[in-house]
Amino acid sequence: MSSAAVSPAARLRALKPDWLNDPRVWRTEVLGGLVVALALIPEAISFSIIAGVDPAIGLFASFTMAVTISIVGGRRAMISAATGAVALVIAPVNREHGLGYLVATVILAGVLQIALGALGVAKLMRFVPRSVMTGFVNALAILIFMAQVPEMRDVPWPVYPLIIGGLALMVFFPRITRVVPAPLVSIVILTVVTVAAGIAVPTVGDKGELPSSLPVPGLPDVPFTLDTLTTIAPYALAMALVGLMESLMTAQLVDDITDTRSSKTRESVGQGVANIVTGFFGGMGGCAMIGQTMINVKVSGARTRLSTFLAGAFLMVLCVVFGPVVSDIPMAALVAVMVMVAFGTFDWHSVSPKTLRRMPAGEIAVMVLTVIVVVATHNLAIGVVVGTVTAMVVFARRVAHLAHVTAVTDPDGTQVVYAVTGELFFASSNDLVHRFDYAGDPDDVVIDLSAAHVWDASSVAALDTVEARYARRGKTVRITGLNNPSADLHGRLTGELTGGH
């Protein structure tokens, strides 16, 4: 059909977001945002305690982060809010210098994230192997579950049947209908049961007092001097890197789940903008929340920016308008939701005996190491870095063994041709020097690299060393078969690396 045949009404529908065209999408996004908002409240309060600030600071941060990132972020349906990783990084600032310096740190971290995003830091995601991604996901699931364990320790006995009941509701209710998210049904039913029956169990209100008014913008209460900048800069850089790492990894995870692509550069810049806005509203900053994102995307089925926006908006409405009601929600209901999220997040296929039998040992080791480091440090960014570096080492060792040298001597004994095959880089070229018979070879030596590729300066230096050793014995070396990139690199660097020795 030609564009001229398309009616104005059809063109208008095409321009509208999905949630405006389809009431079912609208319902999914609204209910998904509501479930996330309810689950955000106790977590934001807990992260505020980690950072050493008033619970309202964490709740304000979750509100401004979610609302802002829904507009400027690069990954639809992903939830950003106050997080434990960021709280751990900035806690020393608040403890040693006060809230004003913490807020200034958040703003500077946002500026650094925008700069890093503009410089293309998101492109580094291509270097994260699948084994690290799998370890990241599994470690995340373990951390989500471990975070619920304190809520199941030293509590009244009714907490346990409430958790079991909540899990049962989330397993069986979707078989009846998926119109309403099962986690929301579970939270509502358990709250009604505990309030109506007067069951004394820990509630959301026990975590801390909810704010009664909206945040107001303002400048951080710090002297605007070079001394202040040098004080907060190291913490701001750490926060920027940790926040971007978690956000980009979460965006990649959502890409895989939804089978869609997102703009990692826009997400990096968007995280910076969200943190700057959060800082000016006196919040503690944050990044993508993987647990809440899984609730929104995997459990609730949300796919648009509306759910992210409403998660932040509902959070403030619930706190400011419905604070007394929200305070009565039993923590058991939210624990059940997060346990279900942890179970659904874990990649069970990756640890099945069938998969483990087929997987290379090196990749299994990388996955396990990533999980161990993340769980031990409670820092997803550290685990990803360690896992990625380990994967690169494993890959380098594997590829290093793929470089082979075979020699063929002419029948008349006047020439020898060495055929080099494989990838020549620092790990494989170090042994290259020892693969030639300098004393026994004839005067004419040919090194055929038509089946090889020269990747780095180490390989050029190794070839120079081979030539120099033959030259000391009065023998001539000719290097042939270089492909264009290898020839260009060899031409630029040969003779410049070994000083002719």
Side-chain angles (χ1 to χ4, degrees), residues 110-171:
V111 173
L112 292 174
Q113 286 177 327
I114 292 175
L116 290 169
L119 290 172
V121 70
K123 295 178 181 177
L124 295 176
M125 283 299 298
R126 71 181 67 178
F127 297 107
V128 179
R130 180 170 179 78
S131 54
V132 174
M133 190 69 185
T134 303
F136 167 83
V137 171
N138 291 344
L140 160 67
I142 295 171
L143 287 181
I144 292 174
F145 180 80
M146 288 174 60
Q148 311 315 309
V149 172
E151 304 298 337
M152 295 184 276
R153 258 197 223 122
D154 301 323
V155 293
W157 69 266
V159 168
Y160 303 109
L162 285 172
I163 293 175
I164 294 172
L167 291 172
L169 281 168
M170 284 183 284
V171 170

Side-chain angles (χ1 to χ4, degrees), residues 173-192:
F173 186 79
R175 300 183 182 182
I176 301 173
T177 179
R178 293 183 178 272
V179 173
V180 182
L184 180 59
V185 174
S186 177
I187 292 170
V188 171
I189 291 178
L190 293 188
T191 302
V192 170

Side-chain angles (χ1 to χ4, degrees), residues 285-377:
C287 62
M289 289 194 77
I290 308 176
Q292 307 302 330
T293 298
M294 290 300 99
I295 293 177
N296 195 44
V297 174
K298 204 166 186 179
V299 179
S300 300
R303 292 293 184 270
T304 76
R305 297 179 185 275
L306 178 64
S307 58
T308 307
F309 177 86
L310 290 179
F314 282 149
L315 175 64
M316 277 294 97
V317 172
L318 289 170
C319 291
V320 175
V321 180
F322 300 102
V325 177
V326 173
S327 295
D328 288 333
I329 295 175
M331 284 301 300
L334 299 176
V335 168
V337 171
M338 298 310 294
V339 168
M340 199 71 181
V341 169
F343 185 85
T345 301
F346 196 91
D347 187 350
W348 297 101
H349 176 72
S350 68
V351 295
S352 68
K354 183 178 179 181
T355 302
L356 294 176
R357 281 196 300 269
R358 295 181 177 181
M359 190 77 69
E363 296 199 25
I364 295 175
V366 168
M367 179 182 71
V368 172
L369 179 63
T370 302
V371 172
I372 291 173
V373 173
V374 170
V375 173
T377 63

Side-chain angles (χ1 to χ4, degrees), residues 400 403 423-433 456-460 462:
E423 309 302 316
L424 298 182
F425 66 113
F426 62 90
S428 60
S429 60
N430 286 335
D431 291 332
L432 186 66
V433 176
D456 59 5
S458 296
S459 302
V460 176

